[in-house]
Amino acid sequence: MTAPTRFFPVSEPLKYAGPESRDPFSFRWYDKDRVVLGKRMEEHLRFAVAYWHSFTWPGGDPFGGETFLRPWMHGSDDMALARAKADVAFELFDLLDVPFFAFHDRDIAPEGASLKESNANVRAIADIFARKMETSKTKLLWGTANLFSNRRFMSGAATNPDPDVFAYGAAQVKNVLEITHELGGENYVLWGGREGYETLLNTDLKRELDQMGRFLNLVVEHKHKIGFKGTILIEPKPQEPTKHQYDFDVSTVYGLLCRAGLEKEVKLNIEANHATLAGHSFEHEIAMAAALGIFGSIDMNKGDAQSGWDTDQFPTNVEDTALAFYEILRAGGYTTGGTNFDAKVRRQSIDPEDLILAHAAAMDVCARALLVAADMYEDGALQRAVNERYAGWDAPQNQAMLAQGSSLDAIAARVEAENLDPQPRSGRQERLEALAVSYLR
């Protein structure tokens, strides 16, 4: 395949034009050089484009085939198509002026007749990435291996009952981890798309959890062996495609990491739509990860309130997004993480420009939400309300209850001696929700 000179209808990178602009090919809120809480907006948000949804998904659904008909999706030479796709990808990265992108190995290169051939295909495209990254500002946020699409992984990879599948998955991860390291990637993500079970009737839970823990340790050990300085991330997801997954949510993954002795080595990549599928809010999962010391990065998207599956839509709700970024600010912001758009245009959005406009609008939503979150954080009223609610715990006698050496006997004696008769106090939820909404601009 010969790629067109340009795939997209514009040739200049999108610029900030201000809130009054109605030019769709400009940013209304994302002003990358604007300083927010001492850092440039670009440094706060660290946007990334997801290779899989933007360039690999054909627009199909369970009831109909592809709708996008992208020129790099059809032809007889799979590697030529992959090279053309890489050209279009960096064209979009440059138009959006994003600092990062993310990929699975199967997004960027076709699977070969053997693992050796598949890995060679991935490495060949990675070499193209390396050359393009010499002249593009866009770097690699993270890479990952697709251990879920091929039928060999229908019963998982790390947790598969067949040890040969475990070995194959480990070899595939080795290749992508090394490529991520060579490309200067800032993270490596493990997403166990099928690490779970469909029925307990054919499942040995302890054995599978042991296998998963060892697999994770193998990845961390290899990270240190090759000198990869980035962060290993796990992305929680409760279900779909597997009925029940071992990486259900932040708390479940933390338990898994503790069981494997990796709670100090591995952090989490948290997706908005996965959080809601687990019955949580996005901000809950971010806050929980921060509280447990394992917050790393996010996949930014949203689900459909009327659908019970992972629709991966671009974010449009400023209030919800602001609450998420408020928790990120409270956690100290990103280190190696970023805001990866794990989102896809709708299957009826078939024009090339739809890809640009979807990302640009989402970047504006995030930028606007960041400004709201920064106001929340800088004003401090929300935090003061929390501090006030827990102020009683600052008293020495109450701190003593939590210290080693305290006992139920001593606590009970104090209650009797001081004739304690605590009464409930309002949580002020509605007042605080109204305060949070007041920061919207």
Side-chain angles (χ1 to χ4, degrees), residues 231-284:
T231 305
I232 302 296
L233 300 171
I234 291 179
E235 182 169 325
K237 188 177 184 182
Q239 58 188 354
E240 190 201 271
T242 304
K243 177 182 176 181
H244 183 99
Q245 296 188 192
Y246 300 129
D247 48 4
F248 186 91
D249 62 3
V250 167
S251 297
T252 305
V253 174
Y254 183 70
L256 177 69
L257 292 176
C258 290
R259 189 175 189 272
L262 293 173
E263 67 273 19
K264 303 296 185 184
E265 285 276 4
V266 177
K267 297 187 183 298
L268 269 58
N269 182 60
I270 301 166
E271 180 180 313
N273 205 170
H274 292 179
T276 54
L277 285 173
H280 305 306
S281 66
F282 191 21
E283 62 267 24
H284 163 87

Side-chain angles (χ1 to χ4, degrees), residues 133-197:
M133 290 162 66
E134 292 176 358
T135 56
S136 172
K137 71 172 284 184
T138 304
K139 307 306 178 185
L140 181 60
L141 184 65
W142 50 262
T144 187
N146 180 330
L147 305 183
F148 50 89
S149 291
N150 191 290
R151 67 191 297 270
R152 71 172 61 89
F153 297 123
M154 65 182 181
S155 299
T159 59
N160 201 289
D162 184 343
D164 288 349
V165 176
F166 180 102
Y168 195 102
Q172 195 173 326
V173 168
K174 174 182 180 293
N175 185 59
V176 187
L177 177 57
E178 291 174 356
I179 287 173
T180 299
H181 174 44
E182 293 163 16
L183 290 175
E186 300 208 9
N187 311 270
Y188 181 85
V189 171
L190 291 158
W191 182 65
R194 298 188 189 276
E195 306 298 358
Y197 66 84

Side-chain angles (χ1 to χ4, degrees), residues 3 23-24 71 86 113 117 125 130 165 247 250 254 283 303 311 356 385 392 411 432 438:
D23 175 11
E117 182 180 331
I125 300 301
V165 176
D247 48 4
V250 167
Y254 183 70
E283 62 267 24
T311 55
I356 302 174
I411 293 171
L432 295 174
S438 74

Side-chain angles (χ1 to χ4, degrees), residues 44-93:
H44 271 293
L45 293 169
R46 290 169 62 87
F47 286 131
V49 174
Y51 212 94
W52 50 100
H53 285 326
S54 294
F55 311 109
T56 305
W57 185 56
D61 67 16
F63 302 97
E66 64 177 311
T67 59
F68 293 158
L69 301 177
R70 309 296 194 201
W72 59 86
M73 292 180 176
H74 298 280
S76 57
D77 187 335
D78 288 341
M79 284 301 291
L81 296 173
R83 290 189 292 269
K85 180 164 55 174
D87 290 339
V88 173
F90 274 83
E91 183 184 341
L92 181 63
F93 303 159

Side-chain angles (χ1 to χ4, degrees), residues 23-36:
D23 175 11
F25 292 101
S26 68
F27 296 116
R28 299 179 61 226
W29 294 95
Y30 179 54
D31 181 0
K32 67 177 183 178
D33 293 318
R34 179 173 177 174
V35 176
V36 180

